């Protein structure tokens, strides 16, 4: 079920703050603003790519949506249901429709459980089917992700990283979800294996009608799989557009810098690099105004005075930058 605009998921002004301890030698307590007012929507059947440097808050968003961690504030609407208003039992039932594929295929699988037990565990938790039916479902899922039913009797250490991630995908599919958070599902894999797993995710999406939130720090992977892309910096979205628009007509200087850093396979090809100066500021004390201004080659004095709003620069293309986006908050 989707709303009248075709959106299966809507995130509005999502925030997640963590309390940072004072440390060994005391000092003031601080607040880590991991996600600080993020809004976006995902249509049914599409892949929304969420991109940014490590520590920008993209994985925290995925976990907040599924309430694996509780948001500080905001609204998350899935199939016209406010997820943040659900009690524990209602949320448990709703989680049949929402699953996650974790980044690390090694630590996300219990080494003491056989593969059949790992994939079948969601079926047991949600009391789905008899034992024979669960066994048949596990065999079906293994075939679906390119493995053999006989693999159900083996342990995780007997598989490669790519095979383990296929097992993680099979587990995520066990309850026939409609929406899956893919939390950097290929970043821990070899490049050759990454392509296989991404192609598998695309095939499964087409076959099963899945909707993905695809979290990654690799723009080349996101370009291959995503319908639309959101670029994050220090807890904020700075640009949202279709995948084609992002890669052909990026507007935000941070997005342009990320694109310029993508390796070019042709050794004779030349691409203008837009190097970022300095380190990402700490999320406990972000810069005033635009958070990117301390590293931005286009920064002006006004960028420190107020925070830029997301404004439309083209149909479906939003940018938060006072310099490049007309109509931004002055």
């Amino acid at each position: 079920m989707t709303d009248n605009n075709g959106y299966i998921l809507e995130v509005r002004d999502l925030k997640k703050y963590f309390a940072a301890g004072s440390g060994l030698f005391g000092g003031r307590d601080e607040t880590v603003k991991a996600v600080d007012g993020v809004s976006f929507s995902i249509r049914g059947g599409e892949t929304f790519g969420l991109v940014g440097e490590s520590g920008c808050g993209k994985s925290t968003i995925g976990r907040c949506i599924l309430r694996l961690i509780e948001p500080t504030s905001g609204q998350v609407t899935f199939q016209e249901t406010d997820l943040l208003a659900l009690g524990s039992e209602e949320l448990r039932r709703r989680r049949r429709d929402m699953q996650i594929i974790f980044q690390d295929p090694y630590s996300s699988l219990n080494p003491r459980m056989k593969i059949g037990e790992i994939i079948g565990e969601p079926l047991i938790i949600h009391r789905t089917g008899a034992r024979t039916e669960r066994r048949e479902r596990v065999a079906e899922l293994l075939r679906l992700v390119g493995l053999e039913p006989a693999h159900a009797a083996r342990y995780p250490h007997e598989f490669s990283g790519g095979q383990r991630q296929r097992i993680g995908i099979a587990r995520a599919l066990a309850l026939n979800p409609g929406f899956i958070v893919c939390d950097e599902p290929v970043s821990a894999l070899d490049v050759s294996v990454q392509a296989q797993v991404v192609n598998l995710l695309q095939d499964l999406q087409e076959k099963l009608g899945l909707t993905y939130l695809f979290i990654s720090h690799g723009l080349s992977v996101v370009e291959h799989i995503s319908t639309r892309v959101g670029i994050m910096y220090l807890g904020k979205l700075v640009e949202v557009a279709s995948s084609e628009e992002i890669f052909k007509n990026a507007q935000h200087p941070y997005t342009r810098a990320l694109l310029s850093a993508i390796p070019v396979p042709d050794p004779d090809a030349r691409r203008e690099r837009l190097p970022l100066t300095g380190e990402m500021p700490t999320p406990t004390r972000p810069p005033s105004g635009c958070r990117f201004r301390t590293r931005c080659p286009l920064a002006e004095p006004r960028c420190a005075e107020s925070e830029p709003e997301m404004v439309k620069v083209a149909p479906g293309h939003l940018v938060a930058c006072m310099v490049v986006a007309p109509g931004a908050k002055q």
Side-chain angles (χ1 to χ4, degrees):
M1 180 174 61
T2 58
D3 66 15
N4 294 331
N5 295 317
Y7 294 118
I8 191 174
L9 178 80
E10 293 190 85
V11 176
R12 291 289 173 264
D13 199 26
L14 184 67
K15 297 181 181 181
K16 179 57 183 177
Y17 298 167
F18 295 95
S22 57
L24 181 63
F25 299 104
R28 64 179 184 179
D29 292 335
E30 295 183 320
T31 299
V32 177
K33 297 181 178 181
V35 179
D36 197 14
V38 169
S39 300
F40 62 90
S41 302
I42 304 178
R43 292 184 176 89
E46 80 169 346
T47 298
F48 186 87
L50 200 56
V51 185
E53 294 173 272
S54 296
C56 71
K58 54 190 185 296
S59 291
T60 302
I61 288 177
R63 284 165 166 75
C64 284
I65 288 172
L66 301 179
R67 285 182 61 184
L68 297 179
I69 55 177
E70 291 294 332
T72 300
S73 64
Q75 185 178 35
V76 178
T77 304
F78 176 69
Q79 294 180 334
E80 301 183 5
T81 299
D82 184 359
L83 296 181
L84 305 189
L86 297 180
S88 57
E89 187 57 34
E90 293 173 305
L91 179 62
R92 179 178 174 274
R93 289 194 297 268
R94 210 72 178 98
R95 279 195 172 135
R96 296 173 61 96
D97 302 320
M98 309 176 296
Q99 292 295 315
I100 184 169
I101 301 167
F102 293 100
Q103 175 180 356
D104 188 353
Y106 294 89
S107 63
S108 64
L109 303 180
N110 189 331
R112 295 179 177 83
M113 294 175 67
K114 294 181 179 179
I115 299 309
E117 296 171 329
I118 291 172
I119 298 175
E121 188 175 29
L123 302 173
I124 295 173
I125 292 172
H126 288 270
R127 301 181 179 90
T128 301
R131 181 177 297 180
T132 302
E133 293 173 320
R134 292 197 294 266
R135 191 180 301 117
E136 292 173 353
R137 176 61 175 161
V138 168
E140 177 189 2
L141 289 165
L142 284 168
R143 284 191 290 264
L144 191 63
V145 298
L147 298 174
E148 297 295 329
H151 290 158
R154 299 184 184 178
Y155 288 91
H157 74 268
E158 300 179 65
F159 295 88
S160 67
Q163 289 174 320
R164 292 188 193 200
Q165 197 58 294
R166 289 173 184 266
I167 293 164
I169 293 170
R171 176 177 59 186
L173 295 173
L175 295 169
N176 291 313
F179 172 70
I180 297 179
V181 174
C182 305
D183 186 9
E184 302 201 43
V186 298
S187 63
L189 306 177
D190 293 338
V191 174
S192 60
V193 180
Q194 287 183 12
Q196 297 173 18
V197 173
V198 168
N199 289 337
L200 172 63
L201 289 171
Q202 288 182 305
D203 291 342
L204 292 171
Q205 183 176 40
E206 184 177 348
K207 184 181 298 184
L208 304 176
L210 299 171
T211 302
Y212 294 145
L213 172 61
F214 192 91
I215 298 167
S216 177
H217 59 257
L219 273 169
S220 56
V221 175
V222 168
E223 180 183 18
H224 184 69
I225 194 173
S226 297
T227 313
R228 290 187 302 129
V229 179
I231 307 296
M232 281 197 70
Y233 184 81
L234 203 64
K236 291 276 191 180
L237 274 175
V238 298
E239 188 162 8
V240 177
S242 68
S243 180
E244 181 180 9
E245 182 76 2
I246 284 287
F247 285 87
K248 287 185 177 180
N249 190 33
Q251 295 293 308
H252 199 281
Y254 178 59
T255 308
R256 291 177 179 176
L258 292 180
L259 290 171
S260 74
I262 298 177
V264 179
D266 184 356
D268 296 323
R270 292 291 181 265
R271 174 183 287 171
E272 182 184 358
R273 290 297 303 273
L274 301 173
L276 298 179
T277 59
E279 298 293 327
M280 181 185 290
T282 171
T284 59
R285 291 187 296 276
S288 63
C290 175
R291 299 186 177 196
F292 184 59
R293 67 176 176 81
T294 57
R295 303 171 72 190
C296 180
L298 305 180
E300 299 177 357
R302 60 175 173 156
C303 297
E305 297 171 2
S306 59
E307 194 170 286
E309 297 177 345
M310 291 286 275
V311 297
K312 183 185 293 186
V313 295
H317 193 162
L318 304 174
V319 180
C321 178
M322 299 179 188
V323 178
V324 303
K329 184 178 179 181
Q330 300 299 314

